[in-house]
Amino acid sequence: MSIQEQTPVTDPQTDTATAPEPTAPQGVREAVLAAASAARDAQPALARLTRDRKDAVLLAMAEALVARADEIVTANARDIEAADAAGIEAGLRDRLLLTPERVGSIAQQLRDAAALPDPVGEVVRGSILRNGLELRQMRVPLGVIGMVYEARPNVTVDAAGLALKSGNAVVLRGGSAALHSNTALIAVLRSVLAEQGLPEDLVIGIDEHGRDGVGVLMTARGLVDVLIPRGGAGLIARVVENSTVPVIETGTGNTHILVDASADLEAAADIVVNAKTHRIGVCNALETLLVHRGVAERALPLLAERLAAKDVTLHADDTAQEILAAAGTAARVVPATSQDWETEYLSLDLAVKVVEDFDEALAHIRAHSTGHTESILTRDLESQRRFLAEVDSAVVMANASTRFSDGGEFGFGAEIGISTQKLHARGPMGLPEMTTTKWIVVGQGHVRP
Amino acid sequence: MSIQEQTPVTDPQTDTATAPEPTAPQGVREAVLAAASAARDAQPALARLTRDRKDAVLLAMAEALVARADEIVTANARDIEAADAAGIEAGLRDRLLLTPERVGSIAQQLRDAAALPDPVGEVVRGSILRNGLELRQMRVPLGVIGMVYEARPNVTVDAAGLALKSGNAVVLRGGSAALHSNTALIAVLRSVLAEQGLPEDLVIGIDEHGRDGVGVLMTARGLVDVLIPRGGAGLIARVVENSTVPVIETGTGNTHILVDASADLEAAADIVVNAKTHRIGVCNALETLLVHRGVAERALPLLAERLAAKDVTLHADDTAQEILAAAGTAARVVPATSQDWETEYLSLDLAVKVVEDFDEALAHIRAHSTGHTESILTRDLESQRRFLAEVDSAVVMANASTRFSDGGEFGFGAEIGISTQKLHARGPMGLPEMTTTKWIVVGQGHVRP
């Protein structure tokens, strides 16, 4: 499954991200905590299911979604109507829209999840201690996962499917703009759970409580085991800064490529164009290009020409501007400001900087990267070694497009997000990252001497 | 290395744990952020060291501590003097006290750390993808670790040694009562770093900024990669509730043993006595004993007799009281209140409850456990299977004393704490848990089709 498209523009749901959290009305508070508590109570029933049973549930859900596609599309039409009335931007509208074909694709995500190996029960380590105690460290579900995302109904089903497959109950909060779509989708999933003799509250939506509901969910410590925000930087910042529930931070990618002095320039042009333009609204798209001074005069005009053909605007530092001007480039070039080094454009814009040497490149990345993905294009062994060793990002690459930083490309089969934090999971997260472990110790009357 | 002794009584440092965090004075704020920033800038120099170099640094530190033991003991005498004047409790005083012999033991912790395998560089997973991209997931240091603990000078050196061995810079905040001792110890460690040509700020103390300093450290997001609180429940709660830096929650252990209907009662008595009395001030000590109704009449008098011989007070529920009274026990028995089910006594006290059946035992554990360690004593295969599968704690045991829930006992060689959370690390944490991973991707001009 491919990486999620992000929202490049400010979204009404997230634009007050850094404001202090308001206190939610008591009714919302009670309702959301009751939902989290219900999910928590439901989860043990799922934790005990075999893989065969879990897969059967996912396949039944896929079938029910297809069977009830009309109902889902009708609910979605209400969201689309409201969005159109509010003058929604075309990209956001497209992500919100469901058709019978799209419902079919969503159902297929569940079949794909069913086909993946079950992470639960995997013995990660094990031994018999010298005193005879038998020790095993085994993967078990996290418990209750809270997913907070934007108005993308496919995420509702994808997140629920991956959570269930890994033995977790899930509390879902999609964007308010998708309220009717999400409600319809969740109703289908819950009815299948009931048919299969499982608690409906394994999948529970809190969209009707709006932004306040997220605030309560973030404080449901002891009821929710982990919160995973997926979406724009504002949403993620709000959750990371205010949550007392542990959070896995995902997705913000201010991604760099360094064209080293020794780079193969034709290959470099292919990779830079691919990284920037293959898909622009995703977190592994290229945002800042660093070019080594030693190759800048040859590299920049070539790169600019190839990028101009794809309609990319270059936000260039002084040296890059001079070189491009001297070469008479056809590319659209604007002066870079300090803000450009921090920006995840998610658009046909690219920051460009000429670095005097390798150390300046590393220092720039250290100062401005979000720790998602960086790549070096080089033919020099020592440059490659140092870059891979010294750049402290979730994914470090040599001679490859940043677009490969993706759970699907890594062979995980599914991806719940890309973690840019260092605890628990770093980089693309698949099903094993949705589990924890427990230690199982079996003795025969052992006491400590 | 053994599990840390905890502080059973309220500590001046932690007794306002649930109060809102006060705003630190600007001077403290600047100083603590400068310290965290200096540690962050220093860390890459350490990350590049080979294991041989890191071990040499640790051994030199051990030597310097022994050579400068007088200076350390003299500084400690100032802390002890102040503590005596303040009327410190005997147990706390003993943990604070340093002697030349104890400095020798502290130095030995560094030699032990040097002898452990280096987690950094371990390739956790790796493959060549179908398109030829080479993929490796490798352990790397977390970066900067913040350690917040109570007035135990040995933790200062132990934490610094384990952090350095795993490639991390460390910001240390011990209790104010150990200010002079910690300052002297950190001065020795820093002088060795300088002698070895490394940045002194790899080890940095912020004790002089007191409680306010901790408040600032908790908000040093982007400078500190993880905070590890070690100590009493109040300290841990303060950090967990207020930190915006990711936290690894350690140590609180409301630990249960279930004596099942089929238990071997002689073995059960040995295990219960061991778990409760082997060492009382530690997080893996037994706190609540559950006894199956079917065996309570035979088990309780025997267990009470053995526990009474060790001076344990039983906080018993009604049924247990009746059975013990009918048996004419010599044990000290007091009625249990609902508070007893929640209490980590860390003393010669034990909560005792008779459960009607296995399900009531599981429900009690689910409601009251802190998720640290629980053990079942049974001869029944199905009871053991269900207990190990259904109890959701970091360590679940059968027929063994809870005292085995320890990094040293598990063979880790070192232990930085015992995590009771589900993210990143669960249960005893050794050196690998002080690392993260990064993905290294090497291509030959790969672009995404």
Side-chain angles (χ1 to χ4, degrees):
Chain A
M1 289 165 222
S2 76
I3 213 165
Q4 64 178 128
E5 196 86 31
Q6 293 186 333
T7 311
V9 293
T10 305
D11 176 298
Q13 188 183 346
T14 63
D15 59 1
T16 57
T18 52
E21 280 298 312
T23 306
Q26 188 62 20
V28 170
R29 192 171 165 72
E30 282 167 14
V32 172
L33 293 181
S37 188
R40 185 159 202 81
D41 290 342
Q43 192 265 339
L46 178 65
R48 290 194 286 273
L49 288 196
T50 60
R51 172 178 174 178
D52 282 347
R53 280 295 314 281
K54 287 190 286 191
D55 290 352
V57 171
L58 294 174
L59 296 175
M61 286 176 167
E63 206 171 310
L65 286 172
V66 172
R68 292 168 64 178
D70 284 353
E71 180 185 327
I72 294 162
V73 170
T74 304
N76 179 252
R78 293 178 62 188
D79 289 331
I80 289 289
E81 196 180 328
D84 285 340
I88 193 171
E89 185 261 315
L92 294 177
R93 184 188 196 276
D94 185 57
R95 286 171 215 158
L96 178 59
L97 181 69
L98 293 180
T99 62
E101 292 67 35
R102 288 187 175 188
V103 174
S105 305
I106 289 172
Q108 186 57 40
Q109 293 179 313
L110 293 175
R111 292 188 202 102
D112 292 345
L116 290 171
D118 188 345
V120 173
E122 184 194 350
V123 176
V124 178
R125 286 188 272 186
S127 63
I128 298 177
L129 300 179
R130 60 180 71 196
N131 58 11
L133 276 178
E134 295 168 28
L135 192 67
R136 276 175 295 162
Q137 185 183 23
M138 182 182 283
R139 283 200 189 282
V140 295
L142 282 164
V144 177
I145 296 179
M147 290 288 309
V148 183
Y149 50 100
E150 289 164 348
R152 302 167 57 72
N154 62 314
V155 174
T156 301
V157 177
D158 192 27
L162 296 175
L164 295 176
K165 175 79 186 201
S166 50
N168 297 290
V170 64
V171 180
L172 297 161
R173 156 62 183 162
S176 309
L179 173 62
H180 297 103
S181 315
N182 288 339
T183 303
L185 289 165
I186 291 170
V188 172
L189 303 183
R190 286 170 63 96
S191 70
V192 172
L193 287 167
E195 281 160 27
Q196 300 271 333
L198 289 168
E200 290 183 326
D201 290 335
L202 288 169
V203 176
I204 195 159
I206 59 163
D207 278 350
E208 74 243 48
H209 306 297
R211 188 182 157 87
D212 285 335
V214 182
V216 177
L217 195 65
M218 292 193 293
T219 62
R221 201 176 167 83
L223 295 177
V224 177
D225 293 289
V226 59
L227 270 185
I228 305 178
R230 277 174 72 163
L235 169 65
I236 291 167
R238 179 186 174 208
V239 174
V240 164
E241 285 165 24
N242 294 292
S243 183
T244 59
V245 172
V247 174
I248 299 180
E249 195 176 344
T250 67
T252 313
N254 186 14
T255 296
H256 297 73
I257 283 181
L258 168 61
V259 178
D260 188 35
S262 67
D264 174 334
L265 294 187
E266 282 300 329
D270 288 342
I271 289 174
V272 168
V273 168
N274 184 262
K276 180 68 249 182
T277 68
H278 183 260
R279 197 162 159 200
I280 59 172
V282 292
C283 59
N284 61 12
L286 175 64
E287 303 295 7
T288 296
L289 177 69
L290 302 175
V291 181
H292 192 290
R293 189 70 188 83
V295 77
E297 262 91 2
R298 289 189 297 124
L300 275 173
L302 171 65
L303 291 166
E305 184 193 336
R306 296 282 302 278
L307 289 163
K310 294 283 190 174
D311 234 13
V312 176
T313 300
L314 306 181
H315 300 248
D317 76 339
D318 291 348
T319 311
Q321 285 178 63
E322 284 163 26
I323 291 170
L324 288 168
T329 183
R332 192 160 50 244
V333 180
V334 298
T337 67
S338 61
Q339 193 51 41
D340 284 296
W341 312 131
E342 313 294 343
T343 302
E344 186 186 18
Y345 298 109
L346 301 169
S347 63
L348 285 170
D349 292 85
L350 179 65
V352 180
K353 182 183 174 70
V354 174
V355 291
E356 286 305 309
D357 54 25
F358 193 77
D359 286 330
E360 189 187 346
L362 290 190
H364 182 93
I365 290 171
R366 188 167 169 81
H368 304 291
S369 165
T370 54
H372 188 295
T373 300
E374 334 294 337
S375 185
I376 184 172
L377 313 184
T378 186
R379 285 184 290 202
D380 183 71
L381 190 58
E382 177 63 4
S383 294
Q384 173 171 318
R385 191 196 64 75
R386 279 195 64 194
F387 190 90
L388 296 178
E390 295 180 28
V391 173
D392 187 24
S393 294
V395 183
V396 291
M397 295 184 167
N399 297 317
S401 167
T402 53
R403 287 282 293 131
F404 287 106
S405 187
D406 172 89
E409 293 297 318
F410 280 16
F412 294 175
E415 180 183 280
I416 194 72
I418 295 184
S419 164
T420 52
Q421 69 178 36
K422 292 184 177 179
L423 286 193
H424 187 69
R426 197 176 189 207
M429 293 188 289
L431 286 175
E433 285 71 29
M434 296 176 77
T435 65
T436 181
T437 57
K438 72 178 174 188
W439 289 95
I440 297 172
V441 181
V442 176
Q444 304 86 40
H446 284 67
V447 296
R448 227 170 120 176
Chain B
M1 289 165 223
S2 75
I3 213 165
Q4 64 178 126
E5 195 88 31
Q6 293 187 332
T7 311
V9 294
T10 305
D11 175 299
Q13 188 184 344
T14 62
D15 58 2
T16 57
T18 52
E21 281 298 311
T23 306
Q26 188 62 20
V28 169
R29 191 170 166 73
E30 282 168 12
V32 171
L33 293 181
S37 187
R40 183 158 203 83
D41 290 342
Q43 192 266 339
L46 178 65
R48 288 194 288 272
L49 289 195
T50 60
R51 171 177 174 180
D52 282 347
R53 280 294 314 281
K54 287 190 285 192
D55 290 351
V57 171
L58 294 175
L59 295 175
M61 286 177 168
E63 207 171 310
L65 286 173
V66 171
R68 293 168 64 178
D70 283 354
E71 181 185 324
I72 293 161
V73 170
T74 303
N76 180 250
R78 294 178 62 188
D79 289 332
I80 290 288
E81 197 179 328
D84 285 340
I88 193 172
E89 187 260 315
L92 294 177
R93 184 187 195 275
D94 184 58
R95 284 171 216 160
L96 179 58
L97 181 70
L98 293 180
T99 62
E101 293 68 36
R102 287 187 176 187
V103 174
S105 304
I106 288 173
Q108 185 57 40
Q109 292 180 313
L110 292 175
R111 294 190 201 100
D112 291 345
L116 289 171
D118 188 345
V120 173
E122 184 195 349
V123 176
V124 178
R125 285 187 272 185
S127 63
I128 297 177
L129 300 180
R130 61 180 69 196
N131 57 11
L133 276 178
E134 295 167 29
L135 193 66
R136 276 174 295 160
Q137 186 183 24
M138 183 182 284
R139 284 200 188 282
V140 296
L142 282 163
V144 177
I145 297 179
M147 289 287 309
V148 183
Y149 49 100
E150 289 164 351
R152 304 166 57 71
N154 64 313
V155 173
T156 301
V157 177
D158 191 27
L162 295 175
L164 295 175
K165 175 78 187 204
S166 50
N168 297 290
V170 65
V171 180
L172 297 162
R173 156 61 182 164
S176 310
L179 173 62
H180 298 102
S181 316
N182 287 340
T183 303
L185 289 165
I186 290 171
V188 173
L189 302 183
R190 286 169 63 95
S191 70
V192 172
L193 287 167
E195 281 160 29
Q196 299 271 334
L198 290 168
E200 291 184 325
D201 291 334
L202 288 169
V203 177
I204 196 159
I206 58 164
D207 279 351
E208 75 244 48
H209 306 298
R211 188 182 157 89
D212 284 336
V214 182
V216 177
L217 194 65
M218 291 192 295
T219 62
R221 199 175 170 86
L223 296 176
V224 177
D225 293 289
V226 58
L227 270 186
I228 306 179
R230 275 174 72 163
L235 169 65
I236 291 167
R238 179 184 174 210
V239 174
V240 164
E241 285 166 23
N242 294 291
S243 183
T244 59
V245 172
V247 174
I248 300 180
E249 193 175 345
T250 67
T252 313
N254 186 15
T255 297
H256 296 73
I257 285 182
L258 168 61
V259 178
D260 189 37
S262 67
D264 173 334
L265 295 187
E266 281 300 328
D270 289 343
I271 290 173
V272 168
V273 168
N274 184 262
K276 180 69 251 181
T277 69
H278 182 259
R279 197 163 161 199
I280 59 172
V282 292
C283 60
N284 60 15
L286 176 64
E287 304 294 7
T288 296
L289 177 69
L290 303 174
V291 180
H292 192 290
R293 188 71 188 85
V295 76
E297 263 92 2
R298 289 188 297 125
L300 274 174
L302 171 65
L303 291 165
E305 184 193 336
R306 295 284 301 279
L307 290 163
K310 295 281 191 177
D311 235 13
V312 175
T313 299
L314 305 181
H315 300 248
D317 76 338
D318 292 347
T319 312
Q321 286 178 62
E322 282 164 25
I323 292 170
L324 289 169
T329 185
R332 192 162 48 246
V333 180
V334 299
T337 67
S338 62
Q339 193 52 42
D340 284 296
W341 313 131
E342 312 295 344
T343 303
E344 186 186 19
Y345 298 110
L346 302 168
S347 62
L348 286 170
D349 292 85
L350 179 65
V352 180
K353 183 183 173 73
V354 173
V355 291
E356 286 305 310
D357 53 25
F358 192 78
D359 287 330
E360 188 188 346
L362 291 189
H364 182 93
I365 290 171
R366 189 168 169 82
H368 304 291
S369 165
T370 54
H372 187 296
T373 300
E374 336 294 337
S375 185
I376 184 173
L377 313 183
T378 186
R379 285 185 290 204
D380 182 73
L381 189 59
E382 177 63 5
S383 294
Q384 173 171 318
R385 190 195 67 73
R386 278 196 64 195
F387 191 89
L388 297 177
E390 296 181 25
V391 173
D392 186 25
S393 295
V395 183
V396 290
M397 296 185 167
N399 297 316
S401 167
T402 53
R403 287 282 292 130
F404 286 106
S405 186
D406 172 271
E409 293 296 318
F410 280 16
F412 294 175
E415 180 183 280
I416 195 71
I418 296 184
S419 163
T420 53
Q421 69 178 36
K422 292 184 176 178
L423 286 194
H424 187 68
R426 196 175 190 208
M429 292 188 290
L431 286 174
E433 284 72 29
M434 296 176 77
T435 64
T436 181
T437 57
K438 71 177 175 190
W439 288 95
I440 297 172
V441 181
V442 176
Q444 304 87 38
H446 284 68
V447 296
R448 227 170 121 175

